Amino acid sequence: MAVRAVRGAVQVDVDERDEVLAATRELVTEVVRLNELDLEDFISVIFTSTADLVSEFPAVAARELGMGDVPLMCARELEIEGSMPRVIRLMAHVETSRTRAQVRHVYLRGAVALRRDIAQ
């Protein structure tokens, strides 16, 4: 088994708690599904969100999905002029037998525009 990083992002329509949680659950669920992971495969997850998202911590959604014993961290994304608004990003460190080239990164909703080259 190797340790790999899986990237992903999702854009939310509005900064409302339910929307942030739903979008984060969708993102984490797709990372798990597309990379054929179990919760035990996760080493840690770093979430970032843009400054316009203040209604809830994305890590709350991950805990709701059963990641209570996985180290989770939330941070603020850099505020770069012209950057996409209302975006939650993640970088998950996982144990997997996949090669780096086989890891599937997940970009959902409007966030697909961030990385069209690797979005699933």
Side-chain angles (χ1 to χ4, degrees), residues 75-86:
R76 176 70 46 90
E77 188 68 32
L78 293 174
E79 295 182 45
I80 304 300
E81 187 175 325
S83 63
M84 184 178 289
R86 301 177 316 281

Side-chain angles (χ1 to χ4, degrees), residues 17-18 20-22 24-25 39 56-68 72:
R17 183 178 192 274
D18 289 343
V20 167
L21 293 177
T24 305
R25 282 191 299 267
L39 292 182
E56 187 56 273
F57 294 100
V60 170
R63 284 190 204 99
E64 291 175 353
L65 291 172
M67 293 185 162
L72 306 172

Side-chain angles (χ1 to χ4, degrees), residues 99-119:
T99 66
R100 188 176 295 165
Q102 292 171 324
V103 170
R104 296 184 66 188
H105 304 283
V106 180
Y107 291 81
L108 304 173
R109 304 182 191 182
V112 169
L114 294 171
R115 292 298 305 263
R116 290 192 190 281
D117 58 326
I118 60 173

Side-chain angles (χ1 to χ4, degrees), residues 5-103:
V6 183
R7 297 269 325 263
V10 62
Q11 186 178 39
V12 299
D13 294 328
V14 293
D15 179 31
E16 294 177 358
R17 183 178 192 274
D18 289 343
E19 175 72 11
V20 167
L21 293 177
T24 305
R25 282 191 299 267
E26 178 185 4
L27 178 60
V28 171
T29 299
E30 281 298 289
V31 165
V32 168
R33 184 181 72 79
L34 290 174
N35 290 286
E36 300 175 331
L37 297 168
D38 293 318
L39 292 182
E40 295 79 29
D41 298 329
F42 283 81
I43 297 167
S44 64
V45 183
I46 300 168
F47 293 96
T48 66
S49 59
T50 51
D52 50 6
L53 296 178
V54 298
S55 61
E56 187 56 273
F57 294 100
V60 170
R63 284 190 204 99
E64 291 175 353
L65 291 172
M67 293 185 162
D69 63 346
V70 176
L72 306 172
M73 180 179 286
C74 294
R76 176 70 46 90
E77 188 68 32
L78 293 174
E79 295 182 45
I80 304 300
E81 187 175 325
S83 63
M84 184 178 289
R86 301 177 316 281
V87 175
I88 299 164
R89 291 175 172 84
L90 73 72
M91 183 164 52
H93 300 95
V94 300
E95 291 181 322
T96 181
S97 59
R98 289 176 179 242
T99 66
R100 188 176 295 165
Q102 292 171 324
V103 170

